[in-house]
Amino acid sequence: MIANLVFFLKEGIGGLVRTRVAGFVATITVAISLVLIGIFLIITVNLGRFVEHLRGRVELEVFLDDSLDEQKIQELADKIKRFEGVENLTFISKEMAIYEYKNLFKDQQQDYFEALGYNPLPASFRIKPANDYRNAVGAEKVFKYLTSISGIEEEDIVYRREYLVLLEKYNKVAIAMVFFVGSIVCLSALLLVSNTIRLIIASKQRIIETMKLVGATRFFIQVPLYIQGIVQGLLGGIIAALFLYALIQVASIGLSGFIKVDWRMYLLLLNFGILLGLAASFAAIRRYL
Amino acid sequence: MILKLHNVKMRYPNGEGLELVNFEMRNGEFVYLVGPTGAGKSTVLKLIYMEEFPTEGYVLVESHNSMYIKNKEIPLLRRKLGIIFQDFKLLEDRDVFENVAFALRVTAARRKEIKKKTLRALAEVGLSHKSRKMIHELSGGEQQRVAIARAIVNEPFILLADEPTGNLDPKTAVEIMNILEKLNARGTAVLMATHNYELVNHTSRRVVSIKSGRTLT
């Protein structure tokens, strides 16, 4: 049994070395396919993250009438919070508004408020929509809800409606592009892998023939071939993961670390590699056994 | 009787094949299967090691009948046969020892046994001193001797040789024939397919002729 195991491992791993150019080319082909798939995954995931990031900045601001007293403001806040589309609400007092304004325009020499002699800025609620409402339709629902509350008028509410509509539009275009590019990437990977399979088949033809001739059982022929496929796929996966890791490190310098890659993506690439290797071995076995 | 082909007909998808083949072999016999190229000699050998199956009739090899043999029994049959080809069919990426040992390794033999039997088979064909040479470092005759060592390492009761001297010069061909004769003298039956009529014209061995897929004698 141990002798068999040693034979399988030696044949499987040794098979990769023995096939030389074919084995090397096949491994590199698997690696290239995985790099293509990996780049596609990184773009998709990071594009999603970027859109989420932009959506996260969406807020609605409700300006309050100066005549409202503290109790009335509290009542309004309670009513707003009650809506499921509202994640949180921040009260900005008149004083805070002027502080923020001065902060925002601190380069300006003149103090207009000093000249006016009073604070013209109204107090407001800054409303952050819940996760599902951070889009054009959701924000509009929050807006509609706010207008339904007595004491809040349409013109009191400000939010970047056009920005959200544009974001949705560009997101749709981006998704369509990702799918288009993704399909091309997957198709290219498929072509590359089928080429790999042909290479592996060609490199294994002789050994399968010889094994059959000297009376090897199907099991004895198959196991080393599957091991070789796994090793080949794993190696391709490791090469692809290392390449992508280096690529991301280089790209991050320019993009100040905005691109983030989960370690699970590398794991996914290794699994993909193993799967491709196994598929190639399976095809070789079906063809010649 | 160790081998019998009874009223065998066999057709390949392209229409070629065997029309009617009948012959038997006894234990320890040396038989030449002679005929022109394309007559069906290789097909007869393939039927014996059950790479192909008759469309009519049957092939009986020891106790294995082509009509009843199961797929999983074919490897067991082949371990009892030794097969040699004109193009040697050696594994170029391994040395001489590994090429011969390979036939034992795939039968899950023990390491000690593999070493002992491989060295014995190499000694039998006079290649003990070249056991660590790579295949491309050998001459054609030496490569065929490696193939013979691989064929006999499992101690088969019959050697099937498909034009084993076809690629060799006359002197080397004689050497290979001498090895086959020696193995036969020790009790291994030999069935050798050849189109070399000169070779069989001077032999006292039994000759089975095949022409256009039919055995004539």
Side-chain angles (χ1 to χ4, degrees), chain A residues 6-248:
Chain A
V6 172
F7 172 80
F8 290 148
L9 286 173
K10 267 177 97 171
E11 278 301 307
I13 298 166
L16 193 63
V17 183
R18 287 198 187 98
T19 48
R20 289 181 190 176
V21 178
F24 176 75
V25 172
T27 307
I28 293 299
T29 312
V30 169
I32 292 170
S33 306
L34 293 176
V35 165
L36 286 175
I37 292 171
I39 289 174
F40 168 68
L41 278 176
I42 292 168
I43 291 172
T44 310
V45 168
N46 280 282
L47 194 71
R49 274 186 55 239
F50 182 62
V51 170
E52 278 310 303
H53 169 77
L54 292 179
R55 280 181 177 154
R57 289 166 63 177
V58 169
E59 20 174 67
L60 293 94
E61 189 150 20
V62 179
F63 293 106
L64 304 171
D65 198 284
D66 282 353
S67 61
L68 294 174
D69 58 21
E70 214 170 290
Q71 195 194 338
K72 188 75 187 157
I73 289 171
Q74 190 55 52
E75 275 174 28
L76 278 177
D78 290 342
K79 276 184 186 163
I80 293 170
K81 277 185 198 164
R82 233 175 275 154
F83 185 53
E84 57 168 17
V86 173
E87 185 176 281
N88 66 48
L89 170 149
T90 314
F91 175 67
I92 308 291
S93 65
K94 284 174 75 69
E95 292 70 31
M96 279 163 78
I98 208 164
Y99 174 77
E100 278 185 0
Y101 184 93
K102 281 182 175 173
N103 240 350
L104 203 61
F105 299 100
K106 55 187 166 201
D107 297 339
Q108 287 184 358
Q109 298 290 320
Q110 275 183 297
D111 189 339
Y112 296 108
F113 299 110
E114 199 76 30
L116 276 171
Y118 71 99
N119 177 3
L121 299 179
S124 65
F125 288 131
R126 279 200 193 132
I127 298 158
K128 193 158 194 63
N131 210 15
D132 295 344
Y133 288 79
R134 288 176 198 164
N135 50 53
V137 178
E140 192 60 29
K141 279 183 189 164
V142 179
F143 175 80
K144 282 267 169 7
Y145 174 76
L146 293 173
T147 54
S148 71
I149 299 169
S150 97
I152 299 177
E153 301 301 326
E154 256 184 49
E155 53 271 23
D156 297 333
I157 309 166
V158 174
Y159 81 100
R160 297 169 71 183
R161 185 183 274 126
E162 295 77 17
Y163 166 82
L164 271 176
V165 171
L166 263 180
L167 186 66
E168 297 293 313
K169 198 174 134 190
Y170 286 133
N171 190 32
K172 272 181 192 159
V173 172
I175 288 171
M177 272 175 70
V178 160
F179 271 99
F180 178 69
V181 175
S183 310
I184 291 174
V185 165
C186 287
L187 208 71
S188 318
L190 210 72
L191 281 172
L192 280 170
V193 168
S194 65
N195 204 35
T196 308
I197 292 171
R198 268 176 46 205
L199 269 170
I200 294 174
I201 288 174
S203 69
K204 285 175 181 175
Q205 186 181 357
R206 186 124 210 177
I207 194 155
I208 293 179
E209 235 177 77
T210 309
M211 285 175 110
K212 280 165 81 175
L213 216 62
V214 296
T217 57
R218 283 179 71 89
F219 178 76
F220 246 81
I221 300 173
Q222 285 181 6
V223 175
L225 295 177
Y226 279 125
I227 290 175
Q228 187 182 338
I230 290 171
V231 173
Q232 213 150 21
L234 192 65
L235 273 177
I238 290 170
I239 294 170
L242 287 174
F243 179 82
L244 281 175
Y245 180 76
L247 193 74
I248 287 157

Side-chain angles (χ1 to χ4, degrees), chain B residues 125-159:
Chain B
V125 297
L127 276 181
S128 304
H129 60 298
K130 295 206 170 173
S131 67
R132 286 301 164 199
K133 291 270 183 200
M134 293 305 286
I135 297 303
H136 64 85
E137 295 176 278
L138 306 179
S139 68
E142 286 170 332
Q143 290 190 28
Q144 191 58 292
R145 283 197 271 163
V146 177
I148 295 174
R150 185 181 66 191
I152 61 171
V153 76
N154 269 321
E155 294 160 13
F157 67 88
I158 185 168
L159 269 179

Side-chain angles (χ1 to χ4, degrees), chain B residues 88 139-142 144 164-177 196 199:
Chain B
F88 322 134
S139 68
E142 286 170 332
Q144 191 58 292
T165 58
N167 273 353
L168 307 173
D169 61 76
K171 187 175 164 274
T172 316
V174 170
E175 279 173 28
I176 295 299
M177 286 312 299
N196 187 344
L199 187 77

